[in-house]
Each structure stands twice: as structure tokens, then as C-alpha cells.
Amino acid sequence: SSEEVSEIVESLKHSDFLTEAVLELGKQYPGFCKPLIYERDLYLAYALRDRADALPSHAKIVAVVGAGHVPGIIEHWDKPIDITEISRMPDQRPLSPALRFLAMVAVGGATCGVLVGTAWA
């Protein structure tokens, strides 16, 4: 119903479900959050800063990012970032149970987003 869709949209406005799920998994698998949260925050801060530096000082940049990434972007904005290190592809390994779970969460979140978008169309 439209009431259920409204409730889902409101709950998504107040939390970043995927980020919360990743952080929860990060408690069990400490190396898990590094590429998905920390390195993504670094990359976003680097890319946004790079674009901002290329524009006149009065220009504004608008970026749409997950709520869970905003604190990391702010934290790393003025720090040097080694983009080559965070852009390097890791060695290939089979998917761990944590990564399989995250893939299921991501697919579920994307499906929910499509359903919400379809309901609003």
C-alpha cells in the first residue's frame, strides 16, 4: 500500500541501512569494512576535492552519497590521500561468508529501491 511505501521511504531517510549492515558485519570481520567504507570514503573525498580544486573558488559541487559516507568524507577532506593505493585491485580470493552476505544485502537493498521507485512512478 502507499502507506507502507511511505513508511519505508521515511525509514530510509533516517538511516543508511546498507552502511549499518556493513558496520555490523565489520564487528565480526574487522577487515571487511576497510574496502567498503573506509577506502570508499577516501576515494569520494579525493574525487570531490579533485573536482572542487579544478573549479573557480566561488563554484559549488553537489554530491549525492550514502549517509554513512558523509563523516568519512569530511574527516579526510584536508588530508593527503594516496589514490593509487586505494585504487589497487586486491588479490583474487573466493568470496567469504561475509561478502556473500553483503552481496545478498546489496541485492535486497537494490530490489527494495526498485520496488519503492516503481510504487512512486
Side-chain angles (χ1 to χ4, degrees), residues 14-80:
H14 299 290
S15 70
D16 187 346
F17 174 75
L18 185 55
T19 299
E20 289 178 21
V22 170
L23 292 175
E24 188 62 33
L25 281 173
K27 292 176 186 175
Q28 295 177 3
Y29 303 95
F32 185 69
C33 284
K34 183 180 178 195
L36 294 174
I37 301 294
Y38 179 75
E39 289 180 359
R40 190 171 293 171
D41 291 349
L42 287 173
Y43 182 82
L44 289 167
Y46 176 87
L48 290 169
R49 189 175 62 203
D50 185 55
R51 301 308 180 274
D53 290 345
L55 295 173
S57 61
H58 66 278
K60 306 269 188 227
I61 291 180
V62 176
V64 179
V65 299
H69 291 290
V70 173
I73 293 169
I74 292 170
E75 177 185 344
H76 299 293
W77 188 262
D78 292 320
K79 296 179 181 176

Short mmCIF file of all heavy atoms in Angstrom, two decimals, residues 14-80:
data_model
loop_
_atom_site.label_atom_id
_atom_site.label_comp_id
_atom_site.label_asym_id
_atom_site.label_seq_id
_atom_site.Cartn_x
_atom_site.Cartn_y
_atom_site.Cartn_z
N HIS A 14 16.20 8.26 7.38
CA HIS A 14 16.82 8.41 8.69
C HIS A 14 17.96 7.45 8.95
O HIS A 14 18.62 7.55 9.98
CB HIS A 14 15.76 8.27 9.78
CG HIS A 14 14.70 9.31 9.69
ND1 HIS A 14 14.92 10.64 9.96
CD2 HIS A 14 13.40 9.22 9.31
CE1 HIS A 14 13.82 11.32 9.77
NE2 HIS A 14 12.87 10.49 9.36
N SER A 15 18.21 6.53 8.06
CA SER A 15 19.33 5.62 8.26
C SER A 15 19.82 5.11 6.93
O SER A 15 19.08 5.06 5.96
CB SER A 15 18.91 4.44 9.15
OG SER A 15 18.04 3.60 8.46
N ASP A 16 21.07 4.75 6.92
CA ASP A 16 21.66 4.15 5.74
C ASP A 16 21.76 2.66 6.04
O ASP A 16 22.73 2.21 6.63
CB ASP A 16 23.02 4.79 5.47
CG ASP A 16 23.63 4.33 4.16
OD1 ASP A 16 23.15 3.35 3.58
OD2 ASP A 16 24.59 4.96 3.73
N PHE A 17 20.74 1.91 5.66
CA PHE A 17 20.62 0.50 6.03
C PHE A 17 21.85 -0.30 5.61
O PHE A 17 22.37 -1.10 6.39
CB PHE A 17 19.36 -0.10 5.41
CG PHE A 17 19.24 -1.58 5.63
CD1 PHE A 17 18.88 -2.08 6.87
CD2 PHE A 17 19.52 -2.47 4.61
CE1 PHE A 17 18.80 -3.43 7.08
CE2 PHE A 17 19.43 -3.84 4.82
CZ PHE A 17 19.07 -4.31 6.06
N LEU A 18 22.31 -0.11 4.39
CA LEU A 18 23.45 -0.87 3.91
C LEU A 18 24.70 -0.58 4.74
O LEU A 18 25.44 -1.48 5.12
CB LEU A 18 23.71 -0.59 2.43
CG LEU A 18 24.80 -1.41 1.76
CD1 LEU A 18 24.53 -2.90 1.93
CD2 LEU A 18 24.90 -1.05 0.31
N THR A 19 24.92 0.70 5.06
CA THR A 19 26.08 1.06 5.88
C THR A 19 25.99 0.42 7.25
O THR A 19 26.96 -0.10 7.78
CB THR A 19 26.20 2.59 6.01
OG1 THR A 19 26.36 3.14 4.71
CG2 THR A 19 27.37 2.99 6.88
N GLU A 20 24.79 0.45 7.84
CA GLU A 20 24.61 -0.18 9.15
C GLU A 20 24.89 -1.68 9.08
O GLU A 20 25.51 -2.23 9.98
CB GLU A 20 23.20 0.09 9.67
CG GLU A 20 22.99 1.54 10.07
CD GLU A 20 21.57 1.81 10.53
OE1 GLU A 20 20.86 0.86 10.91
OE2 GLU A 20 21.18 2.99 10.51
N ALA A 21 24.44 -2.33 8.02
CA ALA A 21 24.68 -3.76 7.87
C ALA A 21 26.17 -4.05 7.72
O ALA A 21 26.70 -5.00 8.31
CB ALA A 21 23.91 -4.29 6.66
N VAL A 22 26.86 -3.22 6.94
CA VAL A 22 28.30 -3.40 6.75
C VAL A 22 29.05 -3.20 8.06
O VAL A 22 29.95 -3.97 8.41
CB VAL A 22 28.83 -2.44 5.66
CG1 VAL A 22 30.35 -2.44 5.62
CG2 VAL A 22 28.28 -2.83 4.31
N LEU A 23 28.69 -2.17 8.81
CA LEU A 23 29.35 -1.92 10.09
C LEU A 23 29.11 -3.05 11.07
O LEU A 23 30.01 -3.43 11.83
CB LEU A 23 28.89 -0.58 10.67
CG LEU A 23 29.34 0.66 9.90
CD1 LEU A 23 28.72 1.91 10.50
CD2 LEU A 23 30.85 0.76 9.87
N GLU A 24 27.91 -3.61 11.06
CA GLU A 24 27.62 -4.74 11.93
C GLU A 24 28.48 -5.95 11.54
O GLU A 24 29.03 -6.62 12.40
CB GLU A 24 26.13 -5.10 11.83
CG GLU A 24 25.67 -6.12 12.84
CD GLU A 24 25.83 -5.66 14.28
OE1 GLU A 24 25.69 -4.46 14.56
OE2 GLU A 24 26.12 -6.53 15.13
N LEU A 25 28.61 -6.20 10.25
CA LEU A 25 29.48 -7.29 9.80
C LEU A 25 30.94 -7.00 10.13
O LEU A 25 31.71 -7.90 10.40
CB LEU A 25 29.34 -7.50 8.28
CG LEU A 25 28.12 -8.27 7.85
CD1 LEU A 25 28.01 -8.26 6.34
CD2 LEU A 25 28.18 -9.68 8.37
N GLY A 26 31.30 -5.72 10.11
CA GLY A 26 32.66 -5.32 10.42
C GLY A 26 33.08 -5.68 11.83
O GLY A 26 34.25 -5.87 12.11
N LYS A 27 32.11 -5.79 12.73
CA LYS A 27 32.42 -6.20 14.10
C LYS A 27 32.90 -7.65 14.12
O LYS A 27 33.78 -8.01 14.89
CB LYS A 27 31.20 -6.03 15.00
CG LYS A 27 30.81 -4.58 15.22
CD LYS A 27 29.53 -4.48 16.03
CE LYS A 27 29.07 -3.04 16.14
NZ LYS A 27 27.77 -2.94 16.82
N GLN A 28 32.29 -8.48 13.28
CA GLN A 28 32.67 -9.88 13.22
C GLN A 28 33.88 -10.12 12.31
O GLN A 28 34.66 -11.03 12.53
CB GLN A 28 31.51 -10.73 12.72
CG GLN A 28 30.35 -10.74 13.67
CD GLN A 28 29.17 -11.52 13.11
OE1 GLN A 28 29.24 -12.10 12.05
NE2 GLN A 28 28.07 -11.53 13.86
N TYR A 29 34.00 -9.31 11.26
CA TYR A 29 35.08 -9.43 10.29
C TYR A 29 35.77 -8.07 10.14
O TYR A 29 35.42 -7.29 9.26
CB TYR A 29 34.54 -9.88 8.93
CG TYR A 29 33.77 -11.19 8.99
CD1 TYR A 29 32.39 -11.20 9.12
CD2 TYR A 29 34.44 -12.41 8.93
CE1 TYR A 29 31.69 -12.38 9.19
CE2 TYR A 29 33.75 -13.60 9.00
CZ TYR A 29 32.37 -13.59 9.13
OH TYR A 29 31.68 -14.76 9.19
N PRO A 30 36.74 -7.77 11.02
CA PRO A 30 37.33 -6.42 11.04
C PRO A 30 37.89 -5.94 9.71
O PRO A 30 37.80 -4.76 9.40
CB PRO A 30 38.44 -6.55 12.08
CG PRO A 30 38.04 -7.70 12.94
CD PRO A 30 37.27 -8.63 12.05
N GLY A 31 38.44 -6.81 8.88
CA GLY A 31 39.00 -6.39 7.60
C GLY A 31 37.94 -6.10 6.55
O GLY A 31 38.24 -5.62 5.46
N PHE A 32 36.72 -6.37 6.86
CA PHE A 32 35.61 -6.25 5.93
C PHE A 32 35.26 -4.80 5.61
O PHE A 32 34.97 -4.46 4.47
CB PHE A 32 34.42 -6.98 6.53
CG PHE A 32 33.23 -7.06 5.65
CD1 PHE A 32 33.25 -7.84 4.51
CD2 PHE A 32 32.08 -6.38 5.97
CE1 PHE A 32 32.14 -7.93 3.70
CE2 PHE A 32 30.97 -6.46 5.17
CZ PHE A 32 31.00 -7.24 4.03
N CYS A 33 35.26 -3.94 6.62
CA CYS A 33 34.82 -2.55 6.43
C CYS A 33 35.85 -1.69 5.72
O CYS A 33 35.50 -0.66 5.15
CB CYS A 33 34.48 -1.91 7.76
SG CYS A 33 32.90 -2.48 8.39
N LYS A 34 37.11 -2.11 5.72
CA LYS A 34 38.14 -1.26 5.12
C LYS A 34 37.83 -0.92 3.66
O LYS A 34 37.76 0.25 3.32
CB LYS A 34 39.51 -1.90 5.26
CG LYS A 34 40.61 -1.01 4.72
CD LYS A 34 41.97 -1.63 4.86
CE LYS A 34 42.99 -0.69 4.23
NZ LYS A 34 44.26 -1.32 4.00
N PRO A 35 37.62 -1.90 2.78
CA PRO A 35 37.37 -1.51 1.39
C PRO A 35 35.97 -0.94 1.16
O PRO A 35 35.78 -0.12 0.28
CB PRO A 35 37.55 -2.81 0.61
CG PRO A 35 37.32 -3.89 1.59
CD PRO A 35 37.76 -3.34 2.93
N LEU A 36 35.00 -1.35 1.95
CA LEU A 36 33.63 -0.93 1.67
C LEU A 36 33.25 0.42 2.28
O LEU A 36 32.39 1.11 1.75
CB LEU A 36 32.65 -2.00 2.14
CG LEU A 36 32.76 -3.29 1.36
CD1 LEU A 36 31.87 -4.36 1.97
CD2 LEU A 36 32.39 -3.07 -0.09
N ILE A 37 33.86 0.77 3.37
CA ILE A 37 33.53 2.05 3.99
C ILE A 37 34.74 2.97 3.96
O ILE A 37 34.72 4.02 3.32
CB ILE A 37 33.04 1.85 5.45
CG1 ILE A 37 31.81 0.96 5.51
CG2 ILE A 37 32.78 3.20 6.11
CD1 ILE A 37 30.57 1.54 4.88
N TYR A 38 35.81 2.58 4.64
CA TYR A 38 36.96 3.47 4.79
C TYR A 38 37.58 3.86 3.45
O TYR A 38 37.76 5.04 3.17
CB TYR A 38 38.01 2.79 5.68
CG TYR A 38 39.24 3.61 5.88
CD1 TYR A 38 39.23 4.72 6.73
CD2 TYR A 38 40.42 3.31 5.22
CE1 TYR A 38 40.36 5.49 6.91
CE2 TYR A 38 41.56 4.08 5.39
CZ TYR A 38 41.52 5.17 6.24
OH TYR A 38 42.64 5.93 6.41
N GLU A 39 37.88 2.90 2.60
CA GLU A 39 38.51 3.22 1.31
C GLU A 39 37.55 3.96 0.39
O GLU A 39 37.96 4.83 -0.37
CB GLU A 39 39.04 1.95 0.63
CG GLU A 39 40.26 1.40 1.33
CD GLU A 39 40.81 0.15 0.68
OE1 GLU A 39 40.25 -0.32 -0.33
OE2 GLU A 39 41.84 -0.35 1.19
N ARG A 40 36.27 3.66 0.46
CA ARG A 40 35.30 4.39 -0.36
C ARG A 40 35.20 5.84 0.12
O ARG A 40 35.10 6.76 -0.69
CB ARG A 40 33.94 3.71 -0.29
CG ARG A 40 32.97 4.29 -1.31
CD ARG A 40 31.71 3.49 -1.39
NE ARG A 40 31.99 2.17 -1.93
CZ ARG A 40 31.12 1.19 -1.97
NH1 ARG A 40 29.90 1.38 -1.51
NH2 ARG A 40 31.43 0.02 -2.48
N ASP A 41 35.24 6.06 1.44
CA ASP A 41 35.25 7.43 1.97
C ASP A 41 36.47 8.19 1.44
O ASP A 41 36.36 9.35 1.03
CB ASP A 41 35.30 7.43 3.50
CG ASP A 41 34.02 6.92 4.14
OD1 ASP A 41 33.02 6.75 3.43
OD2 ASP A 41 34.05 6.69 5.37
N LEU A 42 37.63 7.53 1.46
CA LEU A 42 38.85 8.16 0.95
C LEU A 42 38.69 8.51 -0.53
O LEU A 42 39.03 9.62 -0.96
CB LEU A 42 40.06 7.24 1.12
CG LEU A 42 40.59 7.06 2.53
CD1 LEU A 42 41.67 5.98 2.54
CD2 LEU A 42 41.13 8.36 3.08
N TYR A 43 38.19 7.57 -1.31
CA TYR A 43 38.04 7.80 -2.74
C TYR A 43 37.06 8.94 -3.01
O TYR A 43 37.31 9.80 -3.85
CB TYR A 43 37.59 6.52 -3.46
CG TYR A 43 37.47 6.74 -4.94
CD1 TYR A 43 38.60 6.68 -5.75
CD2 TYR A 43 36.26 7.08 -5.53
CE1 TYR A 43 38.51 6.92 -7.11
CE2 TYR A 43 36.17 7.32 -6.88
CZ TYR A 43 37.29 7.24 -7.68
OH TYR A 43 37.20 7.49 -9.01
N LEU A 44 35.94 8.94 -2.32
CA LEU A 44 34.95 10.00 -2.51
C LEU A 44 35.53 11.37 -2.13
O LEU A 44 35.34 12.35 -2.85
CB LEU A 44 33.69 9.71 -1.70
CG LEU A 44 32.83 8.56 -2.20
CD1 LEU A 44 31.80 8.16 -1.15
CD2 LEU A 44 32.16 8.91 -3.51
N ALA A 45 36.24 11.43 -1.00
CA ALA A 45 36.86 12.69 -0.59
C ALA A 45 37.87 13.15 -1.64
O ALA A 45 37.90 14.32 -2.02
CB ALA A 45 37.54 12.53 0.77
N TYR A 46 38.69 12.22 -2.13
CA TYR A 46 39.70 12.55 -3.15
C TYR A 46 39.03 13.06 -4.43
O TYR A 46 39.41 14.10 -4.97
CB TYR A 46 40.54 11.31 -3.45
CG TYR A 46 41.54 11.54 -4.56
CD1 TYR A 46 42.80 12.06 -4.28
CD2 TYR A 46 41.22 11.25 -5.88
CE1 TYR A 46 43.71 12.29 -5.29
CE2 TYR A 46 42.12 11.48 -6.90
CZ TYR A 46 43.37 11.99 -6.61
OH TYR A 46 44.27 12.22 -7.62
N ALA A 47 38.02 12.33 -4.91
CA ALA A 47 37.37 12.69 -6.18
C ALA A 47 36.64 14.03 -6.07
O ALA A 47 36.74 14.88 -6.97
CB ALA A 47 36.40 11.59 -6.61
N LEU A 48 35.93 14.24 -4.97
CA LEU A 48 35.21 15.51 -4.80
C LEU A 48 36.17 16.68 -4.66
O LEU A 48 35.97 17.75 -5.23
CB LEU A 48 34.28 15.43 -3.59
CG LEU A 48 33.07 14.51 -3.77
CD1 LEU A 48 32.36 14.30 -2.44
CD2 LEU A 48 32.12 15.07 -4.80
N ARG A 49 37.23 16.47 -3.89
CA ARG A 49 38.23 17.53 -3.71
C ARG A 49 38.92 17.84 -5.03
O ARG A 49 39.16 19.01 -5.36
CB ARG A 49 39.24 17.09 -2.64
CG ARG A 49 40.19 18.20 -2.22
CD ARG A 49 41.08 17.76 -1.10
NE ARG A 49 41.91 16.64 -1.54
CZ ARG A 49 42.45 15.76 -0.72
NH1 ARG A 49 42.25 15.83 0.57
NH2 ARG A 49 43.20 14.79 -1.19
N ASP A 50 39.22 16.80 -5.81
CA ASP A 50 39.85 16.99 -7.12
C ASP A 50 38.95 17.84 -8.03
O ASP A 50 39.43 18.74 -8.71
CB ASP A 50 40.11 15.61 -7.76
CG ASP A 50 40.87 15.71 -9.06
OD1 ASP A 50 41.95 16.34 -9.08
OD2 ASP A 50 40.36 15.17 -10.07
N ARG A 51 37.64 17.55 -8.03
CA ARG A 51 36.72 18.33 -8.85
C ARG A 51 36.62 19.76 -8.34
O ARG A 51 36.58 20.71 -9.11
CB ARG A 51 35.31 17.71 -8.86
CG ARG A 51 35.20 16.30 -9.38
CD ARG A 51 35.83 16.07 -10.74
NE ARG A 51 35.70 14.71 -11.20
CZ ARG A 51 36.54 13.72 -10.89
NH1 ARG A 51 37.55 13.92 -10.11
NH2 ARG A 51 36.37 12.52 -11.39
N ALA A 52 36.57 19.90 -7.02
CA ALA A 52 36.46 21.24 -6.43
C ALA A 52 37.70 22.09 -6.74
O ALA A 52 37.58 23.28 -7.03
CB ALA A 52 36.27 21.13 -4.91
N ASP A 53 38.88 21.47 -6.71
CA ASP A 53 40.11 22.20 -7.00
C ASP A 53 40.18 22.67 -8.45
O ASP A 53 40.87 23.64 -8.76
CB ASP A 53 41.34 21.34 -6.68
CG ASP A 53 41.53 21.13 -5.18
OD1 ASP A 53 40.90 21.86 -4.39
OD2 ASP A 53 42.30 20.22 -4.81
N ALA A 54 39.48 21.98 -9.34
CA ALA A 54 39.52 22.33 -10.76
C ALA A 54 38.53 23.45 -11.11
O ALA A 54 38.56 23.96 -12.22
CB ALA A 54 39.20 21.09 -11.60
N LEU A 55 37.70 23.84 -10.16
CA LEU A 55 36.68 24.86 -10.41
C LEU A 55 37.08 26.20 -9.78
O LEU A 55 37.88 26.23 -8.85
CB LEU A 55 35.34 24.41 -9.83
CG LEU A 55 34.74 23.16 -10.48
CD1 LEU A 55 33.52 22.72 -9.70
CD2 LEU A 55 34.37 23.42 -11.93
N PRO A 56 36.47 27.28 -10.23
CA PRO A 56 36.71 28.57 -9.58
C PRO A 56 36.29 28.51 -8.11
O PRO A 56 35.42 27.72 -7.74
CB PRO A 56 35.81 29.54 -10.36
CG PRO A 56 35.46 28.85 -11.63
CD PRO A 56 35.56 27.37 -11.36
N SER A 57 36.90 29.33 -7.28
CA SER A 57 36.66 29.26 -5.84
C SER A 57 35.20 29.51 -5.45
O SER A 57 34.75 29.04 -4.41
CB SER A 57 37.56 30.24 -5.11
OG SER A 57 37.27 31.56 -5.54
N HIS A 58 34.45 30.22 -6.26
CA HIS A 58 33.05 30.51 -5.93
C HIS A 58 32.09 29.39 -6.36
O HIS A 58 30.92 29.41 -6.01
CB HIS A 58 32.61 31.83 -6.57
CG HIS A 58 32.60 31.78 -8.07
ND1 HIS A 58 33.75 31.96 -8.80
CD2 HIS A 58 31.60 31.54 -8.95
CE1 HIS A 58 33.44 31.84 -10.09
NE2 HIS A 58 32.15 31.59 -10.20
N ALA A 59 32.59 28.41 -7.10
CA ALA A 59 31.74 27.33 -7.60
C ALA A 59 31.37 26.37 -6.47
O ALA A 59 32.08 26.23 -5.49
CB ALA A 59 32.46 26.57 -8.71
N LYS A 60 30.26 25.71 -6.64
CA LYS A 60 29.76 24.72 -5.68
C LYS A 60 29.67 23.37 -6.36
O LYS A 60 29.39 23.27 -7.54
CB LYS A 60 28.38 25.10 -5.17
CG LYS A 60 28.27 26.48 -4.60
CD LYS A 60 28.54 26.45 -3.14
CE LYS A 60 28.24 27.83 -2.55
NZ LYS A 60 29.25 28.30 -1.70
N ILE A 61 29.91 22.32 -5.59
CA ILE A 61 29.75 20.96 -6.07
C ILE A 61 28.66 20.30 -5.24
O ILE A 61 28.64 20.45 -4.02
CB ILE A 61 31.06 20.15 -5.92
CG1 ILE A 61 32.10 20.68 -6.88
CG2 ILE A 61 30.82 18.68 -6.16
CD1 ILE A 61 33.41 19.94 -6.81
N VAL A 62 27.77 19.59 -5.91
CA VAL A 62 26.74 18.84 -5.22
C VAL A 62 27.02 17.36 -5.45
O VAL A 62 27.21 16.94 -6.58
CB VAL A 62 25.33 19.20 -5.75
CG1 VAL A 62 24.27 18.33 -5.10
CG2 VAL A 62 25.05 20.67 -5.54
N ALA A 63 27.07 16.60 -4.37
CA ALA A 63 27.32 15.16 -4.48
C ALA A 63 26.24 14.42 -3.71
O ALA A 63 25.89 14.82 -2.60
CB ALA A 63 28.70 14.82 -3.93
N VAL A 64 25.74 13.36 -4.29
CA VAL A 64 24.77 12.51 -3.61
C VAL A 64 25.52 11.26 -3.17
O VAL A 64 25.99 10.48 -4.01
CB VAL A 64 23.59 12.15 -4.54
CG1 VAL A 64 22.60 11.24 -3.84
CG2 VAL A 64 22.92 13.42 -5.04
N VAL A 65 25.67 11.10 -1.86
CA VAL A 65 26.39 9.95 -1.31
C VAL A 65 25.55 9.34 -0.20
O VAL A 65 24.64 9.98 0.33
CB VAL A 65 27.78 10.36 -0.76
CG1 VAL A 65 28.66 10.94 -1.86
CG2 VAL A 65 27.66 11.34 0.38
N GLY A 66 25.88 8.11 0.15
CA GLY A 66 25.20 7.47 1.26
C GLY A 66 25.49 8.20 2.56
O GLY A 66 26.60 8.70 2.77
N ALA A 67 24.49 8.27 3.43
CA ALA A 67 24.64 8.99 4.69
C ALA A 67 25.82 8.48 5.51
O ALA A 67 26.48 9.26 6.20
CB ALA A 67 23.34 8.89 5.50
N GLY A 68 26.12 7.21 5.40
CA GLY A 68 27.23 6.64 6.16
C GLY A 68 28.59 7.11 5.70
O GLY A 68 29.58 6.96 6.42
N HIS A 69 28.68 7.69 4.50
CA HIS A 69 29.96 8.14 3.97
C HIS A 69 30.27 9.60 4.30
O HIS A 69 31.41 10.03 4.20
CB HIS A 69 30.02 7.94 2.46
CG HIS A 69 30.07 6.51 2.07
ND1 HIS A 69 31.16 5.71 2.30
CD2 HIS A 69 29.14 5.72 1.49
CE1 HIS A 69 30.90 4.49 1.88
NE2 HIS A 69 29.69 4.47 1.39
N VAL A 70 29.27 10.38 4.68
CA VAL A 70 29.48 11.81 4.93
C VAL A 70 30.53 12.06 6.00
O VAL A 70 31.46 12.85 5.79
CB VAL A 70 28.14 12.51 5.25
CG1 VAL A 70 28.37 13.96 5.67
CG2 VAL A 70 27.22 12.45 4.04
N PRO A 71 30.47 11.41 7.17
CA PRO A 71 31.50 11.67 8.19
C PRO A 71 32.92 11.36 7.70
O PRO A 71 33.86 12.11 7.97
CB PRO A 71 31.13 10.76 9.36
CG PRO A 71 29.67 10.48 9.17
CD PRO A 71 29.45 10.49 7.67
N GLY A 72 33.09 10.28 6.94
CA GLY A 72 34.41 9.92 6.42
C GLY A 72 34.92 10.91 5.39
O GLY A 72 36.11 11.22 5.36
N ILE A 73 34.03 11.39 4.54
CA ILE A 73 34.43 12.39 3.54
C ILE A 73 34.90 13.66 4.24
O ILE A 73 35.95 14.22 3.91
CB ILE A 73 33.26 12.69 2.58
CG1 ILE A 73 32.96 11.46 1.71
CG2 ILE A 73 33.58 13.90 1.70
CD1 ILE A 73 31.66 11.58 0.92
N ILE A 74 34.15 14.10 5.24
CA ILE A 74 34.53 15.30 5.99
C ILE A 74 35.85 15.08 6.71
O ILE A 74 36.74 15.95 6.68
CB ILE A 74 33.41 15.68 6.98
CG1 ILE A 74 32.17 16.15 6.20
CG2 ILE A 74 33.89 16.76 7.96
CD1 ILE A 74 30.93 16.31 7.05
N GLU A 75 36.00 13.92 7.34
CA GLU A 75 37.23 13.62 8.09
C GLU A 75 38.47 13.66 7.20
O GLU A 75 39.53 14.11 7.61
CB GLU A 75 37.11 12.24 8.75
CG GLU A 75 38.36 11.82 9.49
CD GLU A 75 38.26 10.39 10.02
OE1 GLU A 75 37.15 9.83 10.08
OE2 GLU A 75 39.32 9.83 10.36
N HIS A 76 38.35 13.18 5.97
CA HIS A 76 39.52 13.06 5.09
C HIS A 76 39.68 14.21 4.10
O HIS A 76 40.61 14.20 3.30
CB HIS A 76 39.45 11.73 4.33
CG HIS A 76 39.47 10.55 5.22
ND1 HIS A 76 40.56 10.20 5.97
CD2 HIS A 76 38.51 9.64 5.53
CE1 HIS A 76 40.29 9.13 6.69
NE2 HIS A 76 39.04 8.77 6.44
N TRP A 77 38.80 15.20 4.14
CA TRP A 77 38.80 16.26 3.14
C TRP A 77 40.14 16.96 3.02
O TRP A 77 40.64 17.19 1.92
CB TRP A 77 37.69 17.27 3.44
CG TRP A 77 37.53 18.26 2.34
CD1 TRP A 77 38.05 19.52 2.29
CD2 TRP A 77 36.85 18.06 1.10
NE1 TRP A 77 37.72 20.13 1.11
CE2 TRP A 77 36.98 19.25 0.36
CE3 TRP A 77 36.15 17.00 0.56
CZ2 TRP A 77 36.42 19.40 -0.90
CZ3 TRP A 77 35.59 17.16 -0.69
CH2 TRP A 77 35.73 18.33 -1.42
N ASP A 78 40.76 17.32 4.12
CA ASP A 78 42.02 18.08 4.07
C ASP A 78 43.27 17.22 4.23
O ASP A 78 44.37 17.75 4.34
CB ASP A 78 42.00 19.17 5.16
CG ASP A 78 40.97 20.24 4.87
OD1 ASP A 78 40.84 20.63 3.69
OD2 ASP A 78 40.29 20.69 5.81
N LYS A 79 43.12 15.92 4.27
CA LYS A 79 44.26 15.03 4.45
C LYS A 79 44.80 14.55 3.11
O LYS A 79 44.04 14.40 2.15
CB LYS A 79 43.85 13.82 5.30
CG LYS A 79 43.43 14.18 6.71
CD LYS A 79 43.02 12.95 7.46
CE LYS A 79 42.58 13.32 8.88
NZ LYS A 79 42.08 12.14 9.60
N PRO A 80 46.11 14.28 3.05
CA PRO A 80 46.65 13.69 1.81
C PRO A 80 46.10 12.27 1.62
O PRO A 80 45.97 11.52 2.58
CB PRO A 80 48.16 13.66 2.04
CG PRO A 80 48.38 13.99 3.46
CD PRO A 80 47.12 14.52 4.05
#
